[in-house]
Amino acid sequence: MPSKESPERLAALLDPATTVLLTVECQQGVVGHDSALPELAHAARSSGALGNVARLVDAAHEAGVQVVHAVAERRPDGRGASHNARLFRAAARLPVQQHTGSTAVRVAEPIDVADEDLVVRRLHGLSPLAGTEVDALLRNMGCRTLVVTGVSANVAVPNAVFDAVNLGYTAVVPSDAIAGVPVEYTSAMIRNTLALVATVVTADDTIACWKSGRRSAAAPL
C-alpha cells in the first residue's frame, strides 16, 4: 500500500524545514475512552493508528517539524454549526458532545501537545482546512508538505488531503496512522482514492526520515 518512493525523494519530501504534521480530530470525544463514536475510537486504538499518531508527533517534536492539531467542536448553543448533512444532524443527537471548552475537545492520550504546537479549532464543516485558519498558518510557516494523520478515513481525512492538494501542498499519508469504520474501509480508501493524490508511506518510514535528518544536521561540517 505505501508508495514506492526512493529514500532520497522521501527525505526531500519530508524535510523538517518545509513539512507540517497535521493530526485530525484526535480528540477525547472522538478517539478517547468516552468517545461519542465508540466504534471509531475502537478502530483507531485497536489498529494502532492512534499510537502511531502519537509516535509521529513525538518524532516531529524531536526533529523540529511543526505540529498542528485540528479539533472539531461545537458551541453549546449550536451557533455557527453546520446542519446541511445527515452527519451533522446525527452528531447533534449523540450523548457525548464536542462542546467548546469541554474535555471532549482536548487532544487525546497518548498524543503529546507541546508548547510549540498549534491547536486549530473549527465550528463547522467537514475539513480541517476549508474555512479555517490552517491554510494561512501553513503558508506563514513555509509549509510545502502536509503529513495528514488521524480520523476519520471516511470523511475528515480525505477532505483534508483533497483540500491540501487543491491548495498546492504535497500531501503525505502514513497509512497506519489513520483510521475509519469499518476497519477494512480504511485500506480501501487509501488504495483506491488517497494513493491517487497523496504519497502513501508508513509511520516508520516518516520517523526514519526525520531521524536521519537529525543525524545529518548534527554531523560536523
Side-chain angles (χ1 to χ4, degrees):
M1 189 181 301
S3 303
K4 300 299 182 182
E5 302 289 349
S6 69
E8 295 77 16
R9 184 182 185 282
L10 197 56
L13 195 61
L14 293 169
D15 180 355
T18 55
T19 298
V20 170
L21 173 65
L22 179 70
T23 75
V24 179
E25 296 182 26
C26 292
Q27 57 205 72
Q28 291 190 30
V30 176
V31 296
H33 295 294
D34 296 321
S35 170
L37 303 164
E39 186 180 1
L40 178 59
H42 177 72
R45 291 179 174 276
S46 65
S47 68
L50 189 61
N52 283 329
V53 174
R55 292 174 59 229
L56 285 162
V57 169
D58 289 344
H61 290 158
E62 292 177 10
V65 174
Q66 179 65 52
V67 179
V68 176
H69 304 281
V71 173
E73 58 184 47
R74 177 186 175 93
R75 284 172 50 116
D77 61 10
R79 289 182 183 272
S82 300
H83 303 283
N84 56 337
R86 287 178 57 199
L87 177 63
F88 302 129
R89 296 191 292 273
R93 297 192 297 269
L94 292 173
V96 177
Q97 290 293 304
Q98 314 299 317
H99 283 164
T100 300
S102 70
T103 58
V105 296
R106 294 178 186 171
V107 176
E109 295 181 348
I111 298 169
D112 178 51
V113 180
D115 290 341
E116 63 268 24
D117 293 0
L118 298 176
V119 180
V120 179
R121 303 178 182 278
R122 77 177 194 275
L123 293 172
H124 64 87
L126 299 170
S127 169
L129 274 74
T132 73
E133 59 184 330
V134 170
D135 179 39
L137 295 175
L138 295 179
R139 294 187 190 283
N140 288 346
M141 293 183 292
C143 176
R144 297 180 62 184
T145 299
L146 187 64
V147 181
V148 180
T149 65
V151 297
S152 72
N154 304 73
V155 179
V157 167
N159 266 273
V161 171
F162 292 146
D163 285 344
V165 173
N166 286 331
L167 289 167
Y169 301 101
T170 297
V172 172
V173 177
S175 59
D176 50 358
I178 68 171
V181 289
V183 172
E184 59 271 16
Y185 180 76
T186 300
S187 58
M189 166 59 77
I190 293 169
R191 182 173 58 253
N192 298 306
T193 302
L194 298 184
L196 302 178
V197 294
T199 298
V200 179
V201 295
T202 65
D204 284 344
D205 291 335
T206 307
I207 292 168
C209 279
W210 289 340
K211 286 184 175 179
S212 177
R214 290 207 314 276
R215 287 195 295 269
S216 298
L221 298 176

